[in-house]
Amino acid sequence: MRLSRYFLPVLKETPAEAQIVSHRYMLRAGMIKQASAGIYSWLPLGYKVLRRVEQIVHEEQIRAGHIPMLMPTLQSADLWRESGRYDDYGEEMLRIKDRHDRDMLYGPTNEELITDIFRSNVTSYRDLPLTLYHIQWKFRDEIRPRFGVMRGREFLMKDGYNFDLTKEDALHAYNRHLVSYLRTYERMGLQAIPMRAASGPIGGDNTHEFLVLAETGESEVFYDSAVTDIRLGEREIDYDDKAQCQAILEEFTALYARTDETHDEAAFAAIPEARRRSARGIEVGQIFYFGTKYSEPMGAMVTDADGNRVPVHMGSHGIGVSRLLGAIIEASHDERGIIWPEGVTPFHVGIVNLKQGDGAADVACDGLYAALAARGLEPLYDDTAERAGAKFATMDLIGLPWRITVGPRGLANGVVELTSRRTGESEEMSPEAAVAKVAEIYGRSSL
Ligand code: 5CA
């Protein structure tokens, strides 16, 4: 993309309403614009990152054997009356009447809708196990929407639902989600720690929240510092292997890590004092096993091997997709702006032309652009007439992990400069070497 043809409305001033760094940078970098309280438009740069995050979520869910689909945002109140949650859910649910005076609602979550789809189509244990998921906008009329996309009223969530014959199978689905979530967050450059939590209006006793440690997080957490040393890394995972998934859950949840809702002072005091931590965290996901809470009242039954009709065991599993952008920025930024991890960056590399209009510099930039694009990479080429300082400031603010700087002086010696946004280190090299290095970083060197 050429910046002169893009829509990147960066702000020089820090918006007064933004209290935390991710909100400030998302506004300043022209990623989002508030439409009304807790509701945002996703401007092109923000939308691009949102799509990248969504793509990683899809890839890891599909890898775990979960099936993508799409349910609507508006739902009929009737289903929620069946589960008993229409009255229970309270003020957070946005209730709407259509022209025929029918009660509708903007879905805050989808347990009822998916259970209805299941019961209409599945009747035998032979069709189990089944896990369906979607990535769809939700609405919760939060009393205090704040911190930009962190606590929105309208927000994007990945929500998945498992249907199993037995509790044991449903707990395997729970474990599978835990493992796939760990992989998902690690690919985004985040460490999200599973912590024992409370289940709230979703229900059930088994639940873990995934927390990214950050001073600006809304959750109070207590943990053994040794949990921060555990990584999933590149290990091979077989999502059908019950023992392996269970072992990973145990590895990640053996040490004390809880939110304030389930915090146990006595258990916390048993941790060696040097490892005891109380901190704040951003909740980027939550998994639940709730058994037959919805299947029983809504009649989601299957025939088992003995011919008996039994309610299915279910769980639901959510990732805060739009919130993740805020969490990634909270975890990765400096005083000049965002520093995107390579896995989610909106453009792979920035090209800064120090002297737009200079024949050699323009030709070199066009050549770099074409060579990067040929390797399947997306550069953002600042081809505007701005002065160098302003171009650098914009690149630093929007946080592309790599920048190639091109100027007549370097070109006279046959070199451009490749700079890491994270370390600030620069290296001079030929344009070809810069393309090869960037391609290697993104695993596109085979072309
Ligand atoms: N049905 C279950 C699982 S699919 C469910 O709704 N779980 S949840 O309530 O925990 O939401 C899942 C994730 O959505 C949360 O972990 C959080 O990351 C995100 N989320 C929840 N509320 C908001 C909000 N107001 N703004 C942004 N993200 C939110």
Side-chain angles (χ1 to χ4, degrees):
M1 178 57 64
R2 286 171 177 268
L3 191 55
S4 63
R5 297 182 195 166
Y6 200 45
F7 181 64
L8 185 72
V10 297
L11 307 178
K12 295 231 161 39
E13 305 298 317
T14 295
E17 78 269 25
Q19 297 162 30
I20 63 171
V21 72
S22 57
H23 190 194
R24 279 201 292 275
Y25 283 157
M26 287 183 82
L27 291 169
R28 282 196 49 211
M31 294 177 65
I32 53 169
K33 180 178 187 315
Q34 182 173 302
S36 60
I39 304 178
Y40 290 87
S41 296
W42 293 79
L43 306 182
L45 192 76
Y47 180 63
K48 228 161 179 310
V49 183
L50 190 67
R51 283 284 169 261
R52 289 244 153 126
V53 168
E54 244 187 296
Q55 185 58 30
I56 292 175
V57 172
H58 272 302
E59 285 171 13
E60 294 306 327
Q61 287 309 296
I62 291 167
R63 198 195 301 276
H66 306 156
I67 306 170
M69 61 178 297
L70 186 60
M71 289 176 270
T73 53
L74 292 185
Q75 305 181 19
S76 157
D78 293 344
L79 286 174
W80 288 69
R81 293 201 172 97
E82 275 189 60
S83 72
R85 277 206 299 182
Y86 189 63
D87 294 324
D88 290 354
Y89 214 95
E91 294 284 305
E92 268 188 23
M93 189 192 285
L94 181 66
R95 296 153 208 260
I96 305 162
K97 273 194 193 299
D98 72 9
R99 68 198 297 166
H100 304 294
D101 218 26
R102 281 189 289 247
D103 291 323
M104 310 284 292
L105 56 99
Y106 194 122
T109 175
N110 281 50
E111 280 80 5
E112 284 77 1
L113 201 53
I114 195 83
T115 305
D116 180 53
I117 292 169
F118 180 88
R119 71 179 172 187
S120 312
N121 296 286
V122 181
T123 54
S124 164
Y125 77 99
R126 287 194 191 85
D127 297 324
L128 304 182
L130 179 66
T131 296
L132 299 167
Y133 80 93
H134 71 162
I135 298 180
Q136 177 61 293
W137 295 94
K138 303 289 183 293
F139 195 94
R140 293 183 185 173
D141 205 352
E142 302 276 353
I143 189 157
R144 275 215 300 160
R146 58 185 186 150
F147 300 160
V149 300
M150 288 282 201
R151 180 162 297 280
R153 293 199 297 163
E154 189 186 53
F155 59 96
L156 192 60
M157 192 203 287
K158 170 265 159 183
D159 41 324
Y161 305 85
N162 68 284
F163 301 91
D164 288 279
L165 182 62
T166 62
K167 177 171 180 181
E168 187 204 331
D169 288 350
L171 290 176
H172 173 53
Y174 186 90
N175 298 347
R176 225 172 40 229
H177 279 90
L178 181 127
V179 177
S180 68
Y181 280 23
L182 291 169
R183 270 193 78 124
T184 304
Y185 300 126
E186 283 190 12
R187 278 187 63 187
M188 296 174 189
L190 284 178
Q191 179 173 35
I193 304 167
M195 301 200 182
R196 279 265 294 276
S199 66
I202 309 293
D205 301 326
N206 276 49
T207 184
H208 281 93
E209 286 181 0
F210 292 78
L211 285 120
V212 173
L213 298 173
E215 279 167 24
T216 49
E218 291 192 283
S219 309
E220 196 180 2
V221 298
F222 301 86
Y223 61 97
D224 179 331
S225 65
V227 298
T228 60
D229 298 331
I230 315 172
R231 296 280 185 291
L232 199 59
E234 293 298 310
R235 61 181 105 168
E236 279 286 314
I237 289 155
D238 174 357
Y239 283 103
D240 291 329
D241 184 339
K242 288 189 175 173
Q244 190 194 19
C245 292
Q246 175 68 25
I248 294 173
L249 171 118
E250 283 166 14
E251 180 187 346
F252 277 83
T253 59
L255 292 165
Y256 188 91
R258 295 191 183 192
T259 65
D260 56 350
E261 296 159 321
T262 59
H263 181 51
D264 174 345
E265 275 297 344
F268 188 59
I271 304 169
E273 197 175 349
R275 301 204 322 241
R276 243 176 266 159
R277 298 280 186 283
S278 76
R280 304 200 69 82
I282 303 166
E283 180 207 326
V284 291
Q286 187 164 6
I287 54 177
F288 302 82
Y289 162 72
F290 42 67
T292 59
K293 171 173 172 167
Y294 300 89
S295 55
E296 228 160 44
M298 294 184 66
M301 318 279 278
V302 293
T303 311
D304 70 12
D306 302 323
N308 301 317
R309 298 264 296 151
V310 293
V312 289
H313 285 259
M314 293 175 57
S316 69
H317 316 276
I319 292 181
V321 174
S322 47
R323 176 180 287 182
L324 269 171
L325 275 75
I328 294 167
I329 297 171
E330 290 295 328
S332 184
H333 66 267
D334 64 12
E335 68 293 343
R336 285 173 292 145
I338 303 164
I339 306 173
W340 292 116
E342 270 98 4
V344 298
T345 184
F347 294 95
H348 296 104
V349 54
I351 302 173
V352 169
N353 187 341
L354 292 177
K355 198 159 187 206
Q356 203 69 41
D358 174 272
D362 291 1
V363 167
C365 287
D366 287 341
L368 280 167
Y369 192 100
L372 289 160
R375 295 186 185 240
L377 295 167
E378 259 190 292
L380 178 67
Y381 170 20
D382 189 342
D383 61 344
T384 65
E386 281 284 351
R387 56 192 176 78
K391 288 188 177 187
F392 290 145
T394 299
M395 284 293 175
D396 285 348
L397 174 63
I398 69 171
L400 309 186
W402 297 94
R403 187 186 78 207
I404 302 175
T405 309
V406 180
R409 213 174 309 155
L411 286 175
N413 298 319
V415 296
V416 296
E417 197 179 62
L418 180 65
T419 307
S420 157
R421 172 70 180 85
R422 190 169 295 280
T423 66
E425 281 164 25
S426 293
E427 221 185 313
E428 288 193 339
M429 59 186 83
S430 70
E432 297 74 25
V435 170
K437 178 100 190 269
V438 173
E440 188 194 324
I441 288 162
Y442 289 102
R444 312 278 168 98
S445 44
S446 56
L447 270 169

